[in-house]
Amino acid sequence: MGETQVTAHEGRSTAGPSPIAAEAAPQAATASSTPPPAPGKSGWQSRLRSLRTPGRPRLWFEILLIAVSYWLYSLVRNAVPEQKAAALANADWIWSAEKSLGLAFEESVNHAVNSVTWLIVSMNYYYATLHFVVTIGVLVWLFRRHPGRYAATRLVLFATTGVALLGYYLYPLAPPRLMNGANFIDTVLVHETWGSMASGNFKNMSNQYAAMPSMHIGWSLWCGLTIFALASAPWARILGLLYPTLTLVVIVATANHFWLDAVGGMACLAFGYAVSRVWYGSLPHRLPKGVPGARKGRLTGLRAAARLPRPASEPEPKAEQKPGAKTAPEEEPAPEAAGARRS
């Protein structure tokens, strides 16, 4: 309601618009007639800013995204032509380079662990299963306990896996167990277990010469660093660091990778963290744990209306009287007040 100005004139008072309200009226009319700014650069900037702000992940979308992404990864990885001659030549070069460094220990580890049947069989199954089970488990844990960090950490994993495809295409590499003239043991074939998609009945389902970089190391190190950075229990943080360490022993003992393949996996992971850092402006573990406003419940119309302030013009509702309840007697006016009214 606008302000009014009361003017006394020959014993009568007249009400009129206040000068302040009169001056504000043309300005309000001008503002209402001004069209809103057209969407331009600022609109795209706000849209980009919203995309770079971690939001609450949606379960159905994440399941679909991970399934499609892994299908595409497997499709592209297996579509890379198996350049056998180049892969074997690169394996010979890697083996010679490690010998020159005095760090060609893969063959000794392979033979030593293979002599303990229960241990090497366990490592074969470790190689085949935990690579997927632990990675999915960490994703589920992030989704439930750290929703504000989920998208950034997931981007690290996706970028790491994506750049690994370039390595498979640009640098075909045979694993040690497929080298010509080497004395490595294919532990899956010897012990009739399954632990490698490039051995036994599964060798036609996967590219046998995609050993560089090692995504067993890339993914396990992603899991380990994520657990170490975000877990609160000390034992969980210790297990987080032990997991990629044990994975390195497994990939060497089963003759599926050189240790230099692990270095390639670490380089891919570093690239993944760099991509996430540029996109979200921070490393994943430094982002807020939760999503602001994500857990606030929605009020129904009645509850929302109950919380609105009551207009001043609306009278207060009278309390309902229960049946059988006594009505409080009205207070009698004081004698002085009653006398004053009679006079």
Side-chain angles (χ1 to χ4, degrees):
M1 296 176 62
E3 298 181 0
T4 59
Q5 181 183 25
V6 180
T7 306
H9 181 67
E10 295 182 358
R12 295 176 298 174
S13 60
T14 58
S18 171
I20 300 177
E23 293 178 1
Q27 296 178 2
T30 304
S32 62
S33 62
T34 303
K41 187 176 181 181
S42 60
W44 284 105
Q45 289 177 345
S46 61
R47 177 61 178 168
L48 180 62
R49 191 180 303 111
S50 65
L51 290 175
R52 298 177 65 180
T53 302
R56 181 75 182 179
R58 293 166 292 180
L59 180 60
W60 67 268
F61 177 78
E62 294 302 325
I63 294 176
L64 180 63
L65 179 63
I66 293 173
V68 172
S69 299
Y70 184 74
W71 175 74
L72 289 175
Y73 164 75
S74 301
L75 184 66
V76 174
R77 182 180 186 271
N78 297 333
V80 174
E82 292 190 358
Q83 306 174 48
K84 182 177 180 179
L88 292 173
N90 290 334
D92 291 337
W93 186 91
I94 290 286
W95 188 233
S96 299
E98 291 185 353
K99 286 182 177 179
S100 63
L101 294 173
L103 296 175
F105 51 79
E106 290 92 339
E107 186 176 326
S108 300
V109 174
N110 175 236
H111 284 261
V113 178
N114 184 71
S115 62
V116 185
T117 303
W118 67 266
L119 181 58
I120 193 60
V121 170
S122 300
M123 287 189 173
N124 285 341
Y125 289 121
Y126 178 109
Y127 186 88
T129 58
L130 292 191
H131 178 54
F132 304 101
V133 173
V134 177
T135 303
I136 295 175
V138 172
L139 284 171
V140 173
W141 174 64
L142 286 170
F143 183 89
R144 292 178 57 86
R145 298 297 183 90
H146 300 267
R149 298 161 178 159
Y150 175 85
T153 314
R154 186 240 292 142
L155 179 59
V156 175
L157 182 65
F158 279 30
T160 300
T161 307
V163 74
L165 294 174
L166 293 177
Y168 301 148
Y169 184 82
L170 298 176
Y171 195 79
L173 180 67
R177 57 185 174 75
L178 294 181
M179 289 179 62
N180 292 327
N183 195 25
F184 286 97
I185 301 172
D186 192 333
T187 59
V188 172
L189 293 179
V190 170
H191 298 280
E192 298 181 352
T193 57
W194 54 277
S196 172
M197 292 295 291
S199 294
N201 297 328
F202 297 102
K203 62 183 179 181
N204 295 325
M205 298 174 58
S206 178
N207 185 356
Q208 300 188 61
Y209 304 110
M212 173 66 81
S214 170
M215 281 298 94
H216 273 76
I217 291 299
W219 288 13
S220 65
L221 188 57
W222 173 86
C223 294
L225 292 178
T226 301
I227 294 172
F228 179 79
L230 301 181
S232 56
W235 62 267
R237 302 181 70 188
I238 294 174
L239 287 179
L241 295 181
L242 289 178
Y243 175 55
T245 305
L246 183 57
T247 301
L248 176 61
V249 176
V250 168
I251 67 173
V252 170
T254 56
N256 281 294
H257 289 281
F258 298 98
W259 67 265
L260 279 177
D261 300 343
V263 175
M266 295 177 188
C268 291
L269 182 64
F271 172 81
Y273 273 107
V275 171
S276 181
R277 172 66 175 82
V278 170
W279 182 254
Y280 287 103
S282 176
L283 291 174
H285 68 278
R286 294 181 179 175
L287 294 171
K289 179 179 179 179
V291 179
R295 294 184 178 273
K296 293 182 179 179
R298 295 181 178 179
L299 298 176
T300 61
L302 294 177
R303 292 180 61 193
R307 294 196 176 190
L308 293 176
R310 186 177 301 279
S313 60
E314 182 178 342
E316 291 288 339
K318 294 183 179 181
E320 295 183 0
Q321 183 178 357
K322 296 181 179 180
K326 295 182 179 181
T327 305
E330 297 182 358
E331 295 182 358
E332 293 291 336
E336 295 82 359
R341 285 197 298 269
R342 286 193 297 269
S343 62

